[in-house]
């Protein structure tokens, strides 16, 4: 095992019996035909099962919808990328020249996929119990500060529920402007509710809509 991989194993707090599995988990498809896509597929399934089981046991009175929202907050790409950054996983990624040039080691989707691949690799290298314990340890801080299911509702959902409760018309969202190159665009979106307007900018249309909805909630709630 070369020193860089050994350092990563120390950061992961897991020593691989077959180091090649970890190397595969760190290899993006841009770098090799032998890459982490299959391990990512496996890790995604394992992560969803482990988190779902944990939430099912921890919140015995929660509804299916509440459990789904809690799980979504933990397994979404943004959360996985944050965890990958905490591990400095990007430092060990193997990327092709194009991805290296464009800063792929910082990209949310690449980091989150790599972390799921690591989960898959740990499972194959050990067993389900070991993998489950590793995932729950990885998430220990997130699980400690886990928000209530209602707080995890996104702003658009909360705004819609607020308006429905008041029997008011539902909001409309309009894209006012798209800025930047295709690989680094910014969206300016307005939220309109019975004559009131809020405007927000985001790196995607969804994020801009969510922010404009949040601003609208602050105005009318």
């Amino acid at each position: 095992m070369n020193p860089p991989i050994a350092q990563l194993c120390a950061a992961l707090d897991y020593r691989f019996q077959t180091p090649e599995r970890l190397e595969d988990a760190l290899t993006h498809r841009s770098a090799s035909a032998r890459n982490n896509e299959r391990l990512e597929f496996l890790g995604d399934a394992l992560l969803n099962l482990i988190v779902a089981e944990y939430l099912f046991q921890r919140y015995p009175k929660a509804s299916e919808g509440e459990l789904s929202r809690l799980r979504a907050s933990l397994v979404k790409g943004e959360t996985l990328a944050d965890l990958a950054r905490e591990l400095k996983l990007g430092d060990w990624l193997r990327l092709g020249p194009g991805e290296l040039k464009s800063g792929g080691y910082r990209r949310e989707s690449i980091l989150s996929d790599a972390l799921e691949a690591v989960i898959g690799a740990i499972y194959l290298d050990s067993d389900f119990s070991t993998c489950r314990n590793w995932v729950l340890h990885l998430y220990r801080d997130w699980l400690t500060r886990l928000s209530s299911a209602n707080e995890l509702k996104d702003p658009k959902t909360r705004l819609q529920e607020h308006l429905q409760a008041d029997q008011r018309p539902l909001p409309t969202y309009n894209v006012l402007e798209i800025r930047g190159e295709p690989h680094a665009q910014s969206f300016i979106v307005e939220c309109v509710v019975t004559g009131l307007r809020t405007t927000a900018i985001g790196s995607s249309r969804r994020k801009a809509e969510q922010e404009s909805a949040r601003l609208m909630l602050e105005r009318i709630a």
Side-chain angles (χ1 to χ4, degrees), residues 137-200:
H137 180 72
L138 175 70
Y139 272 91
R140 62 193 182 280
D141 293 337
W142 291 77
L143 296 175
T144 298
R145 60 177 183 262
L146 198 61
S147 302
S148 71
N150 187 62
E151 290 173 338
L152 290 169
K153 291 180 182 178
D154 63 81
K156 288 181 68 176
T157 299
R158 287 189 281 118
L159 176 59
Q160 179 173 315
E161 291 178 351
H162 180 83
L163 293 171
Q164 287 174 329
D166 290 345
Q167 297 184 330
R168 297 172 63 180
L170 295 182
T172 57
Y173 298 91
N174 305 307
V175 178
L176 301 179
E177 187 179 351
I178 302 175
R179 300 174 179 171
E181 299 297 323
H183 65 279
Q185 290 183 328
S186 294
F187 293 76
I188 300 176
V189 172
E190 70 171 359
C191 173
V192 182
V193 176
T194 57
L196 296 175
R197 284 179 169 78
T198 55
T199 304

Side-chain angles (χ1 to χ4, degrees), residues 28 30 84 98 113 133 188:
H28 187 256
S30 63
D113 288 350
N133 290 338
I188 300 176

